[in-house]
Amino acid sequence: MGGLTHLIVFVSMFVSITLISEAQYRLPIMIYEPSKQYYTSISLRSPNMYSVTFLLDLGTNLTWLDCRELESLSSLRFITCQSSTCKSIPGSGCDRKSCLYLQPNPLGKRVTGRVVQGAATFSTKDGGRQLVSLPRFTFSCANQLLPLPVSGVLSLSPAGEFSFWRQVTTAFNVAPKFALCLPSSIFGIGHFYVGGVNSYNIPPFNASNPLPMTLTPLKNIDSGKYIISPTSIYVAGIPLSLKPSLLDGGAKISTVVPYTLLQTDIYNALASAFTRKATKMGMSKVPGTAPFKTCFDEGGSGRNIEEFMNVPVIEIGLPGRAGEVKWRFHGANTVVRVSETVICLAFVDGGKKPIEPMVIGTHQFQDYMIEFDLSTSRMAISDSLLSHKTSCFNTI
Ligand SMILES: *[C@@H]1O[C@H](CO)[C@@H](O)[C@H](O)[C@H]1NC(C)=O
Ligand SMILES: *[C@@H]1O[C@H](CO)[C@@H](O)[C@H](O)[C@H]1NC(C)=O
């Protein structure tokens, strides 16, 4: 008896280990510069395959789109509110028989949609010809126009069973994780990886020469947010003196906020330390340009072309496996050019009492690889790819 039980345990362990595939799916990420929105495209059957552009949103629990975009709804299956699918969507409701879902709209008011299932197809290599298909992709149809170029919002939330990455990793039995490498301009595409091993082919990095990544825990993922826990902030290696409780609420990662929002006291401490250091480096303070309050004339030298390496380094201290680790930001991610000679600190005052004291926006992690591993509830952050003379554009 005991032997048989052992055998069964052994066999089932073996099966569960070998079933997890190491496949990695790679979707393209484009930036729309006027609004600094990041989007990808996925095709839906309606009844022909129709490509839909989706805003990437880490804070949305169920993918939705304006289904009036589609040719016809005939190939979609409307989910009833008695179904187990409807019941497993947190916060779902009913309209006679159909399953409804009230969504946050990162670009406006909340919207109600009808939950449906239909076939979705996406490329596995940045828009190449290799396609995979999810025959029963669950999403929601809301009659809500979104500003171009997007017509829907792709759910990347950590909560529930229906975020896009969760539906993909469940359907294909791959590790529950995904990574983003946001492009910094329209002149190339970035990458959205789903599943896979810890290996990203961005030359000079590959499986045998892996991109170095720093790990930090994600806290309270059931909240539907990706929150890390900064312990300190440094400018040119010197920690800001902040009341420790200021950082208590953590830092939310956002793909829809363009510039990191900081609670007012944190913003002021960062801005004054940065200004002190920048003026020592020869820049002079000039009036702000909304939404930025802290701007500088670089002087006649024009040193800071392209990657702005010549500005004070900002670091966020985070809990790591053995003490503090640092997320380091160089000029390309800390300042923004607003005119030929003026650059501004690319952080924004988020007010006295925001929900989270820090919301890390996209300007700060363009040209980084950031990975969300939901099997370990950890986030992995690479160095700036620019500091390795590469970028998110550079892929094989
Ligand atoms: C990995 O990258 C290194 C350095 O760029 C290169 O020398 C090596 O040939 C690459 N290996 C593979 C398997 O592509
Ligand atoms: C997403 O789902 C989580 C878990 O059910 C919930 O707490 C959160 O409020 C939802 N988020 C939004 C924006 O609806």
Side-chain angles (χ1 to χ4, degrees):
M1 256 325 244
L4 183 59
T5 316
H6 279 131
L7 181 66
I8 291 169
V9 170
F10 175 75
V11 168
S12 55
M13 272 170 57
F14 183 72
V15 168
S16 66
I17 290 164
T18 51
L19 274 182
I20 294 285
S21 147
E22 291 187 344
Q24 184 181 61
Y25 305 96
R26 192 174 81 204
L27 289 83
I29 301 181
M30 285 71 71
I31 178 174
Y32 181 64
E33 282 192 5
S35 50
K36 288 193 69 85
Q37 286 168 4
Y38 288 90
Y39 60 96
T40 192
S41 74
I42 291 170
S43 296
L44 297 174
R45 182 178 301 288
S46 76
N48 298 310
M49 293 318 278
Y50 178 82
S51 167
V52 179
T53 51
F54 285 101
L55 180 75
L56 298 171
D57 184 19
L58 294 170
T60 289
N61 287 339
L62 184 67
T63 298
W64 63 273
L65 68 136
D66 186 348
C67 289
R68 292 171 301 185
E69 281 273 309
L70 302 176
E71 223 176 301
S72 127
L73 305 184
S74 62
S75 43
L76 300 179
R77 193 164 81 90
F78 282 80
I79 298 299
T80 64
C81 57
Q82 284 77 28
S83 68
S84 58
T85 302
C86 190
K87 290 187 177 130
S88 57
I89 299 175
S92 60
C94 287
D95 168 27
R96 290 192 212 99
K97 287 183 82 180
S98 23
C99 180
L100 297 186
Y101 190 63
L102 181 63
Q103 302 275 31
N105 174 354
L107 308 178
K109 290 197 299 257
R110 289 181 79 98
V111 294
T112 302
R114 276 165 195 269
V115 180
V116 299
Q117 282 179 333
T121 299
F122 57 92
S123 63
T124 60
K125 286 275 187 286
D126 289 340
R129 283 166 197 272
Q130 227 175 320
L131 296 176
V132 291
S133 168
L134 288 173
R136 288 204 303 166
F137 179 53
T138 305
F139 59 99
S140 156
C141 280
N143 288 349
Q144 177 66 49
L145 277 177
L146 284 163
L148 286 171
V150 297
S151 37
V153 177
L154 197 69
S155 156
L156 301 182
S157 151
E161 294 167 47
F162 296 100
S163 59
F164 173 74
W165 64 265
R166 181 76 78 184
Q167 292 195 52
V168 174
T169 58
T170 304
F172 300 114
N173 234 315
V174 294
K177 63 190 212 175
F178 68 96
L180 302 170
C181 200
L182 300 185
S184 53
S185 79
I186 57 169
F187 299 113
I189 56 167
H191 314 286
F192 167 30
Y193 299 83
V194 183
V197 287
N198 287 313
S199 143
Y200 301 101
N201 280 322
I202 295 193
F205 302 105
N206 56 35
S208 43
N209 176 34
L211 175 62
M213 307 276 270
T214 297
L215 295 174
T216 195
L218 289 165
K219 70 172 197 186
N220 195 13
I221 51 175
D222 295 337
S223 65
K225 301 174 184 179
Y226 294 96
I227 295 181
I228 54 175
S229 310
T231 43
S232 44
I233 300 175
Y234 301 81
V235 173
I238 299 162
L240 303 182
S241 56
L242 297 171
K243 256 196 294 168
S245 64
L246 273 178
L247 297 172
D248 277 354
K252 179 171 86 168
I253 314 290
S254 171
T255 45
V256 293
V257 165
Y259 302 99
T260 294
L261 301 170
L262 299 174
Q263 188 275 345
T264 301
D265 298 329
I266 305 175
Y267 178 83
N268 289 339
L270 177 73
S272 61
F274 191 88
T275 301
R276 231 176 295 130
K277 189 73 194 167
T279 49
K280 273 196 199 137
M281 293 167 89
M283 293 178 237
S284 43
K285 192 140 193 257
V286 296
T289 302
F292 310 112
K293 287 191 185 168
T294 307
C295 299
F296 304 91
D297 194 312
E298 290 180 279
S301 58
R303 298 156 305 180
N304 277 312
I305 32 181
E306 291 179 30
E307 291 169 15
F308 306 104
M309 292 316 266
N310 222 344
V311 298
V313 171
I314 296 176
E315 292 159 306
I316 297 181
L318 295 163
R321 261 189 288 212
E324 191 181 67
V325 293
K326 288 179 177 173
W327 188 353
R328 180 170 295 124
F329 304 93
H330 297 283
N333 301 96
T334 57
V335 295
V336 63
R337 181 173 298 285
V338 297
S339 78
E340 218 168 283
T341 56
V342 176
I343 60 174
C344 297
L345 180 63
F347 289 76
V348 172
D349 181 347
K352 268 292 195 193
K353 285 194 160 32
I355 299 170
E356 285 89 19
M358 299 178 71
V359 179
I360 300 185
T362 54
H363 187 77
Q364 272 66 44
F365 57 92
Q366 287 172 346
D367 288 318
Y368 284 75
M369 183 71 70
I370 61 169
E371 180 191 271
F372 300 92
D373 186 341
L374 283 299
S375 65
T376 55
S377 294
R378 278 195 304 215
M379 179 177 171
I381 305 162
S382 75
D383 295 342
S384 161
L385 295 177
L386 303 178
S387 70
H388 291 280
K389 306 246 175 302
T390 184
S391 76
C392 289
F393 293 168
N394 199 0
T395 317
I396 48 169

